[in-house]
């Protein structure tokens, strides 16, 4: 007998057409995301097709006090979409329609289950551009992107998911359907509840639809890869290039990352010189004059000793080849079962932050190899510590727990974020206090109580 | 004896250095904004110098149940900063320091009382740009801009005030000091309370400081003024130019507005042709190729009959002269004591919206002259009905109240906003339900209760 049988019986009566799965394979499949540390204990999976069905599910769940967990593309990295506590999962797989397109506004209405890549392709079909892009865009769903306010590689130019969301339809934890902001760029009529739902990791209610702003497509994207002598040079280059060009990306990685990517055969070295750090920057070369400006900045920066060596893409093929240096890092280092962390601090503090972490790791774990890369133009670092071959996975991760505490202490020292773009979910819940004060957490809980007084929707995520 | 004497006595004991004014002239001056319909009934004005002093004021106000109203540059147009109900005013005039500048992040910390223009000038001194600009920038304060999420003329390129705010320090209605988001571009650690305070019109607490993102300055700004045959052509031109260029502004106005501005001697006609509507668009002519693109779009649009006549600025002086056609409208028509409204709908609905309003006004009030202008690229219309000389001010405004109801009904029909950028305050409070549902308003009230359970801070604004 299912723990939530009475609820499921009510669902069967009220929504007889609703697709429901209760077999253990389905419960495992839809009951978890990409995180490995939490197991699914999902009791059933529901597949609504409309906002009204979602609202009915939430109202019945309130009557039966049945806890619900949202499920999108299940690509999350913080266990925000894991049904670990015996919840019923609400999957958005059957709400994947791309709806009305408002050409004059460049706004399209999509259901929460639309896959990121499908939206990117729709935008292309309209000679427009959906600016949010990241490794999992082939699987991740828009609803999940909104829940974590997904970022990715173009944030420096287009902002986070938040910046593209001009309207939301949500079903709150109380079962109310709210149509928030209606697609408007300007709307000064009280609290912007839309922004409260973006990044709430599904804890206030379910996002069922969104009105999404599309952008003018970028023109003649051109990349430079620069070898730089030290971390401070990266920050100086960001300032110089950032003032001269409208950058569409500004990424960095270290020599360790480059070595691993090249050893794995993904691409070749960008040039002969080897340097501690590399920058990959990208801009729209809309004219020869812009290219000349880029070259002039390059030359003056090289003269000033900020650049040791560099290369600029001359074609789309070269652009893609240069991007491999950055995009293949995660996959390449995954064989070293790395300890990973996704943090952010002000760009002004990045140099000191990295030095602090390096010093402690080198002192206490001299055999640990740190691989740094990330969206430096956004202050977002991906810290990866590679497992030495001499250590077992268990020994390594045990030691990394000590490192973890130090990393978060250092984040706190620089007033940074313990989660730049992956969310809190369950994996970072114990560490939330490093980035948010007790008062902030208390207000978050009060807001949760206002939207979901019975704690029906994704409770136990972000905070207890 | 002051109604709030016990509170003021407590202030005098706890904050003996605090500047306090209770004379009626000061109470009138600091107790109201630019709206004319509400009188100040302010009982005292306090001038804190630090966040800590603000927090102390709020804690004492809670003890004494003394209601407080924030006061910035007092340029508001919705009476959100009017102490109409005998409140004590907290002015931010003495919190006007521009603080630490984080060059690598292009972020500057400012106190809430910094005047918009002072921030613009600071940005210029750093070879950067503060992108929020509007008519009252010489008086408006950053705290007030944040309270109403101020927009202005560059929203199409840079977004609203919200988009520039990377961190906030606030004192909540309970007296808690919150440091929100710390300047980070990426921070996925739970609800983004910063966005709740932006646009809250000071009803959840006082904003005392902000971390503000500055932009790369625009290069070689170039404007076109285009005479167009009908409203639909404006929308078609927005699409064409918007796909070809990165626009920094896209404004419209009608022949009535142009006539009034020229009659008043502010500038001359842009060209010989007269057309029902005009577009003023602006872009960065970063290269000759961009100028050629702009000209090519112009020519193809003219061939397609979307443009009757046009002119492009060839110098800064010409750019400024063309802008007068748009910027002088408000001042010019003020002598006609216009009925004004600031609304927004999707760009896709603007044509139908305008036709609906025109039809009803023409049928019922054939002697009324409507002057349309606004930030069309943002879906933001300024509707102005000019008083016929034959009507007294009282008769005219009485008739306009009937128009008002129809305007808001039409906004609701198109799911638009009754206040695009001026806020709700007290002037639009009775009409909030045209843009926000009863459920939304109930959640707003619950949030207000969480941050300000005693209703100390700017209560009676936005909703009752």
């Amino acid at each position: 007998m299912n723990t939530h049988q009475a609820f499921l019986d009510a669902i069967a009566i009220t929504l007889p057409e609703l697709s429901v799965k209760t077999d253990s394979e389905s419960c495992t499949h839809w009951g978890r995301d990409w995180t490995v540390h939490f197991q699914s204990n999902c009791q059933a999976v529901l597949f609504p097709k409309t906002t009204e069905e979602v609202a009915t599910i939430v109202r019945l769940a309130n009557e039966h006090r049945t806890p619900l967990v949202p499920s999108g593309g299940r690509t999350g990295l913080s266990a925000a979409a894991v049904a670990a506590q015996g919840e019923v999962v609400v999957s958005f797989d059957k709400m994947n329609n791309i709806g009305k397109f408002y050409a004059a506004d460049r706004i399209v209405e999509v259901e929460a289950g639309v896959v990121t890549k499908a939206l990117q392709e729709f935008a292309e079909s309209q000679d427009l551009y959906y600016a949010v892009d990241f490794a999992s865009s082939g699987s991740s769903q828009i609803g999940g992107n909104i829940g974590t306010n997904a970022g990715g590689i173009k944030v420096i130019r287009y902002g986070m998911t938040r910046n593209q969301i001009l309207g939301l339809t949500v079903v709150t934890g109380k079962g109310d359907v709210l149509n928030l902001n209606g697609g408007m760029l300007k709307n000064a009529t009280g609290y912007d509840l839309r922004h409260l739902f973006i990044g709430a990791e599904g804890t206030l209610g379910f996002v069922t639809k969104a009105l999404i702003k599309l952008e003018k497509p970028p023109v003649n994207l051109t990349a430079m890869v620069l070898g730089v002598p030290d971390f401070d040079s990266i920050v100086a280059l960001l300032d110089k290039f950032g003032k001269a060009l409208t950058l569409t990306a500004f990424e960095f990685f270290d020599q360790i990352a480059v070595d691993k990517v090249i050893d794995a055969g993904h691409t070749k070295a960008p040039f002969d010189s080897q340097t501690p750090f590399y920058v990959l920057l990208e801009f729209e070369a809309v004219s020869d004059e812009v290219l000349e400006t880029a070259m002039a900045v390059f030359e003056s920066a090289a003269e000033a000793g900020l650049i040791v060596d560099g290369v600029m893409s001359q074609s789309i093929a070269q652009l893609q080849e240069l991007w491999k240096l950055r995009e293949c890092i995660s996959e390449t280092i995954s064989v070293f079962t790395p300890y990973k962390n996704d943090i952010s601090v002000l760009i002004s503090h990045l140099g000191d932050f990295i030095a602090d972490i390096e010093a402690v790791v080198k002192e206490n774990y001299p055999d640990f190899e740190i691989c740094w890369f990330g969206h430096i133009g956004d202050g977002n670092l991906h810290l990866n510590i590679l497992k030495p071959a001499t250590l077992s996975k268990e020994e390594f991760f045990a030691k990394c727990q000590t490192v973890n505490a130090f990393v978060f202490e250092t984040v706190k020292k620089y007033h940074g974020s313990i989660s730049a773009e992956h969310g809190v979910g369950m994996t970072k819940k114990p560490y939330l206090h490093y980035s948010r004060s007790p008062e902030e957490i208390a207000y978050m809980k009060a807001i949760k109580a206002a939207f979901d007084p019975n704690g029906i929707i994704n409770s136990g995520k972000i905070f207890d």
Side-chain angles (χ1 to χ4, degrees), chain A:
Chain A
M1 183 84 171
N2 195 300
T3 323
H4 303 301
Q5 196 58 52
F7 165 72
L8 294 173
D9 290 345
I11 288 284
I13 293 165
T14 318
L15 298 171
E17 307 290 319
L18 188 77
S19 169
V20 178
K21 290 181 192 288
T22 53
D23 62 290
S24 70
E25 199 180 332
S26 296
C27 285
T28 303
H29 178 73
W30 275 280
R32 53 181 296 186
D33 60 15
W34 277 4
T35 42
V36 291
H37 306 299
F38 295 89
Q39 296 306 310
S40 168
N41 188 22
C42 160
Q43 299 297 301
V45 191
L46 312 181
F47 297 88
K49 288 182 172 172
T50 65
T51 299
E52 293 65 37
E53 287 182 355
V54 175
T56 303
I57 291 168
V58 173
R59 283 194 287 266
L60 292 173
N62 269 280
E63 281 175 28
H64 293 270
R65 296 293 191 272
T66 300
L68 304 174
V69 166
S71 172
R74 302 177 305 286
T75 57
L77 295 169
S78 71
V82 177
Q85 302 173 71
E87 296 98 334
V88 169
V89 163
V90 178
S91 164
F92 288 85
D93 283 2
K94 290 188 193 290
M95 289 186 71
N96 58 2
N97 288 304
I98 295 182
K100 189 161 180 187
F101 174 58
Y102 299 88
D105 298 87
R106 295 189 194 156
I107 291 174
V108 61
E109 186 173 62
V110 301
E111 290 183 332
V114 167
V115 170
T116 311
K117 193 165 182 57
L119 177 56
Q120 290 169 345
E121 287 168 357
F122 174 82
E124 277 171 39
S125 76
Q126 301 293 333
D127 292 328
L128 291 169
Y129 181 63
Y130 181 56
V132 176
D133 195 19
F134 40 77
S136 62
S137 59
S139 313
S140 70
Q141 294 178 3
I142 298 300
N145 296 357
I146 292 168
T148 49
N149 187 25
I153 54 177
K154 302 287 183 177
V155 170
I156 195 172
R157 172 68 181 85
Y158 301 101
M160 307 291 281
T161 292
R162 182 184 299 286
N163 292 46
Q164 327 298 327
I165 304 300
L166 294 185
L168 281 185
T169 303
V170 301
V171 178
T172 70
K174 288 167 82 170
D176 293 319
V177 177
L178 306 182
N179 287 300
L180 302 173
N181 201 55
M184 282 172 289
L185 286 169
K186 288 184 168 177
N187 181 15
T189 55
Y191 312 157
D192 199 330
L193 303 180
R194 162 186 53 146
H195 283 296
L196 204 48
F197 277 82
I198 300 170
E201 302 186 30
T203 60
L204 300 176
F206 294 119
V207 170
T208 61
K209 284 185 198 168
L211 288 161
I212 298 191
K213 178 87 175 164
L214 303 177
E215 303 281 347
K216 185 168 83 70
V219 176
N220 194 24
L221 286 176
T222 301
M224 280 185 179
V225 170
L226 311 172
V228 302
D230 49 39
F231 190 85
D232 288 347
S233 297
I234 300 178
V235 177
L237 289 171
L238 175 61
D239 185 57
K240 282 183 188 293
F241 280 100
K243 278 185 173 163
L245 304 169
T246 300
L247 298 170
T248 53
F250 194 94
E251 301 285 311
F252 95 115
F253 36 89
D254 62 12
Q255 182 65 48
I256 292 169
V258 169
D259 286 344
K260 304 286 184 207
V261 169
I262 291 169
D263 288 351
H266 289 298
T267 185
K268 59 186 195 337
F271 33 70
D272 290 341
S273 318
Q274 295 212 337
T275 51
F277 295 105
Y278 294 80
V279 164
L280 188 159
L281 67 86
E282 190 191 68
F283 60 99
E284 292 180 69
V286 292
S287 68
D288 290 344
E289 281 150 283
V290 170
L291 277 174
E292 283 159 24
T293 301
M295 284 308 301
V297 176
F298 175 88
E299 278 159 26
S300 89
E303 268 171 40
L306 299 171
I307 301 173
V308 175
D309 208 340
V311 60
M312 184 164 76
S313 66
Q314 307 292 329
S315 66
I316 301 277
Q318 276 184 34
L319 174 80
Q320 289 167 344
E321 201 62 33
L322 289 178
W323 265 107
K324 285 184 187 167
L325 285 164
R326 168 68 181 85
E327 287 181 334
C328 296
I329 297 172
S330 273
E331 185 194 333
T332 303
I333 63 173
S334 67
V335 299
F336 299 93
T337 50
Y339 158 90
K340 300 166 83 74
N341 225 320
D342 164 52
I343 55 89
S344 100
V345 294
L346 287 190
I347 297 165
S348 305
H349 297 152
L350 280 171
D352 292 338
F353 178 87
I354 290 177
D356 282 7
I357 302 287
E358 292 263 9
V360 163
V361 172
K362 272 187 189 139
E363 189 185 332
N364 296 289
Y365 307 101
D367 55 339
F368 281 15
E369 197 172 33
I370 302 184
C371 174
W372 291 102
F373 60 100
H375 316 290
I376 204 86
D378 318 319
N380 182 188
L381 291 172
H382 295 320
L383 159 64
N384 285 259
I385 302 177
L386 310 186
K387 188 180 77 61
T390 51
L391 282 185
S392 76
K393 209 168 157 181
E394 290 67 31
E395 287 170 319
F396 177 63
F397 277 105
K399 288 190 178 185
C400 284
Q401 287 314 306
T402 324
V403 178
N404 223 10
F406 181 74
V407 169
F408 293 139
E409 287 289 349
T410 312
V411 167
K412 187 171 184 173
K413 173 180 168 188
Y414 293 105
H415 309 290
S417 174
I418 59 154
S419 181
E421 56 179 358
H422 296 168
V424 176
M426 291 192 287
T427 59
K428 287 196 168 168
K429 186 168 68 169
Y431 311 107
L432 183 61
H433 64 279
Y434 286 104
S435 283
R436 307 292 295 261
S437 69
E439 292 82 7
E440 281 184 84
I441 295 171
Y443 284 114
M444 287 201 263
K445 289 182 179 178
I447 290 168
K448 165 81 173 169
F451 284 90
D452 185 17
N454 297 321
I456 295 298
I457 312 270
N458 219 18
S459 289
K461 313 293 163 59
I462 306 179
F463 44 73
D464 281 317

